[in-house]
Amino acid sequence: MKKLSAKTVSIRPGVSVLSVLRHLNYRSWFALAEFVDNALQSYLSRQAELKRIHGARFKLVVQITIDANKPARISIRDNAGGIALKDFGRAFRPAAVPTDIGGLSEFGMGMKSAACWFASRWHVRTKALGETVARTVRFDVEKIVHDQIEELGIEEEPTDNNDHYTEVVLEELHHVPVRKTLGKIKEHLTDIYRTFIRDGVLDLKFGTESLVFEEPTLLRAPYIKEPDGPVRTWRTPIKFDFGDGLKVTGFAALRDPGNYARSGFALFRRGRLIQGSGDEGYRPALIFAQPGSYRYLRLFGELHLEGFDVSHTKDGFRWDENEQPFIELLKEELDKSKLPLLRQADGYRAIAARGERMAAAREAVEHTTTALEQNLPDVIEEISAKPPVETRETALERQPTLASKEIEIAFRGETWRIKVELGDDASEGQWLAISDTTGIANSTRTLEIRLSLAHPFMISFAQTNPEEIEALLRVASAIALAETLARRSGVKLAGTIRRNVNDILREALSQPSS
């Protein structure tokens, strides 16, 4: 039976800071990671003793349980070494730095800041290995701050000498993870602790589910410049040294199939991921170019950084002046002649897995048909009432352009001069404008093709990604050439289809799906 002992734990100085911690810029997974860090550090510090009692196969189990039903509650329980009474002052006093700052718990704020960010009331129940009592300390942040309480009572209950655990219970939550956030928490925590899960050190449970990191499949293919050459596995070790104790080791590789959401580097320190979890991979532009590039699709890796400082919430590195040199050295390592990952990523083409294409196809069909269903009934009535039109036979008016190019081709005794432009005039109402003019003696045909990047459709779907722009420019060019060839074959009023395409795109299909 629990009883309040004569013992207390000091939480001074700075109890007023507890009320401020709820406003930290945490995300749920990084806040929960603070509790996992404490459990891991406790386990690693007493690993030999724990294995002597339980055997060599003993591993750390951390279980996170989130009950979002009112009153919402979160608990984090572990079977590590527990918090010894001699460590209570450091464990519960804000900003009390541990004696060993070389581990996962280094700032003396993790459990306190994460608990106060999540909840107004929380308590810790712990049993230290080798002690004969379990102890509970309760925090009511509002009462502590209001009454300037500087010591908290310790509840005690007798228990077996070899028991060992810690449970943190968070109540009266400020932040209640629900729905999609729960999935993101699982994804990010799996990434953050992947090395410990992979090595069999940690069984991290979310509810009753043990989180498992799925290793990406690596690209195995010949080098793009040697298509008949040997099949290679596109993975290379990374190692470079800044001096002054700053080192980087790990690997870089290409995924197969590619995955935009899961590309990028994961940056670790002391085995724990700091930056690049979930869909937030570390993707510096100097290496990855624009989102949507082929590098962005396939390049990934794990890099372990030694000697670099991290933010107090452990969700990013404090680079100081070192990030740009880090990126430049990494880029050199990635494209070494022995295994040039960047060149392979840029040039390699493969059809995506059917499952991925099916998921993308279903999403595209769903969004497009929704837009048509919502907008087309009114638009189509208006468009169908318009008279048919012929292709313009005079040159297009000059407009601001972002890029243009002119080519000539020979076709059945004619010279075709084709001008392709990407326009930037916000007043232009047409997505695609063309003109088809014939020169002296009908021997030269000038075809102007202008796609407006200022059109609402392009603003929604293709602004800065060159591959997205190129795809739509090719479709627009195909429509323009098809219209021209139809006129040449004697089809009257061939411009009507293009006019209708322009109107439908503007009125029915320009808004992205919500």
Side-chain angles (χ1 to χ4, degrees):
M1 179 178 179
K2 286 186 181 180
K3 65 176 183 177
L4 189 64
S5 74
K7 299 184 180 72
T8 61
V9 58
S10 171
I11 57 172
R12 65 175 183 267
V15 295
S16 59
V17 77
L18 296 176
S19 64
V20 179
L21 295 175
R22 66 177 291 184
H23 303 295
L24 284 172
N25 189 28
Y26 262 130
R27 281 174 288 181
S28 297
W29 44 92
F30 283 119
L32 289 169
E34 298 284 10
F35 304 109
V36 183
D37 283 350
N38 286 348
L40 262 168
Q41 191 58 48
S42 173
Y43 169 81
L44 295 172
S45 298
R46 309 197 68 174
Q47 187 174 7
E49 296 171 76
L50 291 167
K51 289 194 173 185
R52 187 165 58 248
I53 294 170
H54 299 288
R57 300 182 68 179
F58 177 81
K59 69 166 61 176
L60 172 66
V61 179
V62 180
Q63 183 169 33
I64 299 170
T65 304
I66 299 176
D67 184 356
N69 296 317
K70 293 183 179 180
R73 182 178 187 269
I74 298 174
S75 70
I76 307 96
R77 183 180 175 89
D78 68 68
N79 64 343
I83 305 173
L85 180 61
K86 65 182 178 62
D87 294 324
F88 266 41
R90 174 195 58 77
F92 296 107
R93 190 169 65 249
V97 178
T99 54
D100 177 14
I101 60 171
L104 297 176
S105 304
E106 58 186 301
F107 297 113
M109 284 296 294
M111 178 178 71
K112 283 84 71 176
S113 59
C116 292
W117 181 81
F118 265 121
S120 293
R121 289 195 305 112
W122 53 281
H123 68 266
V124 179
R125 180 172 177 265
T126 186
K127 166 61 178 63
L129 182 64
E131 298 184 353
T132 57
V133 295
R135 300 181 176 89
T136 301
V137 177
R138 301 182 184 276
F139 279 72
D140 184 328
V141 176
E142 186 175 340
K143 182 176 175 60
I144 289 170
V145 174
H146 182 270
D147 296 343
Q148 286 295 294
I149 295 171
E150 295 187 333
E151 290 185 337
L152 297 178
I154 300 174
E155 300 173 10
E156 292 187 342
E157 59 181 314
T159 188
D160 187 88
N161 183 66
N162 285 334
D163 287 347
H164 51 91
Y165 57 81
T166 297
E167 183 179 32
V168 182
V169 178
L170 312 173
E171 300 172 298
E172 293 186 14
L173 301 182
H174 310 305
H175 305 278
V176 183
V178 293
R179 299 175 186 169
K180 289 184 179 180
T181 304
L182 296 175
K184 288 183 73 68
I185 289 172
K186 289 169 58 176
E187 180 184 25
H188 283 270
L189 288 178
T190 303
D191 275 353
I192 290 169
Y193 297 102
R194 69 175 76 171
T195 60
F196 299 101
I197 294 171
R198 180 189 285 149
D199 294 343
V201 171
L202 171 65
D203 180 6
L204 181 56
K205 294 180 178 289
F206 196 80
T208 58
E209 176 189 358
S210 290
L211 303 183
V212 178
F213 179 75
E214 295 185 8
E215 304 289 346
T217 303
L218 303 184
L219 176 65
R220 297 189 73 253
Y223 181 34
I224 55 167
K225 294 187 177 181
E226 301 170 0
D228 297 324
V231 171
R232 306 186 192 185
T233 299
W234 290 90
R235 183 185 190 275
T236 189
I238 300 292
K239 184 176 182 179
F240 52 91
D241 193 330
F242 283 73
D244 296 325
L246 303 179
K247 300 177 182 179
V248 178
T249 59
F251 75 88
L254 301 182
R255 306 177 64 100
D256 187 27
N259 186 321
Y260 286 116
R262 297 292 296 172
S263 66
F265 287 99
L267 307 184
F268 295 80
R269 191 188 66 151
R270 301 171 185 171
R272 191 257 210 206
L273 188 148
I274 300 295
Q275 192 169 345
S277 58
D279 58 357
E280 299 173 355
Y282 181 71
R283 305 181 186 102
L286 181 64
I287 293 173
F288 283 83
Q290 295 292 328
S293 69
Y294 287 105
R295 295 182 189 185
Y296 213 101
L297 178 67
R298 294 188 182 274
L299 182 62
F300 79 105
E302 296 182 3
L303 302 175
H304 295 260
L305 281 61
E306 182 180 335
F308 293 81
D309 292 330
V310 300
S311 65
H312 76 280
T313 50
K314 288 180 278 188
D315 58 357
F317 282 91
R318 290 169 52 194
W319 292 102
D320 299 324
E321 72 281 0
N322 293 312
E323 184 169 20
Q324 190 62 28
F326 166 79
I327 294 170
E328 291 171 358
L329 286 169
L330 177 58
K331 188 173 187 292
E332 288 179 16
E333 292 284 318
L334 293 174
D335 227 14
K336 286 186 173 178
S337 58
K338 188 175 180 181
L339 202 70
L341 291 177
L342 299 185
R343 275 173 277 171
Q344 179 73 3
D346 289 342
Y348 183 77
R349 303 289 186 272
I351 190 167
R354 189 172 188 275
E356 289 186 333
R357 290 184 288 122
M358 182 182 294
R362 286 174 173 170
E363 184 175 343
V365 168
E366 178 67 26
H367 290 171
T368 302
T369 52
T370 298
L372 289 173
E373 183 180 32
Q374 292 174 347
N375 303 318
L376 193 58
D378 294 333
V379 173
I380 199 169
E381 183 66 35
E382 181 181 340
I383 292 173
S384 63
K386 293 182 178 181
V389 299
E390 186 52 275
T391 304
R392 180 181 179 130
E393 294 183 341
T394 57
L396 298 176
E397 294 87 357
R398 295 305 90 199
Q399 288 184 0
T401 60
L402 295 170
S404 65
K405 188 170 183 179
E406 183 175 314
I407 62 170
E408 288 188 358
I409 63 171
F411 179 64
R412 294 184 181 177
E414 285 185 326
T415 297
W416 281 30
R417 182 179 293 117
I418 303 174
K419 299 179 181 179
V420 178
E421 295 183 355
L422 284 171
D424 191 38
D425 188 343
S427 66
E428 173 61 77
Q430 302 180 83
W431 175 69
L432 170 62
I434 76 169
S435 71
D436 179 14
T437 59
T438 303
I440 299 173
N442 295 332
S443 61
T444 302
R445 195 177 208 119
T446 299
L447 174 62
E448 293 181 286
I449 303 171
R450 179 189 291 151
L451 180 65
S452 173
L453 277 179
H455 190 276
F457 182 77
M458 301 301 285
I459 291 172
S460 293
F461 297 104
Q463 290 193 70
T464 59
N465 187 317
E467 292 175 359
E468 293 171 353
I469 295 171
E470 179 186 342
L472 291 172
L473 182 58
R474 290 188 181 209
V475 171
S477 298
I479 293 172
L481 288 165
E483 181 177 326
T484 301
L485 290 171
R487 290 189 71 224
R488 196 177 188 280
S489 300
V491 174
K492 303 295 184 183
L493 305 173
T496 306
I497 291 178
R498 174 177 46 81
R499 190 274 314 277
N500 292 346
V501 167
N502 283 333
D503 289 349
I504 292 170
L505 286 177
R506 172 177 284 277
E507 303 300 333
L509 296 175
S510 284
Q511 293 301 315
S513 57
S514 57

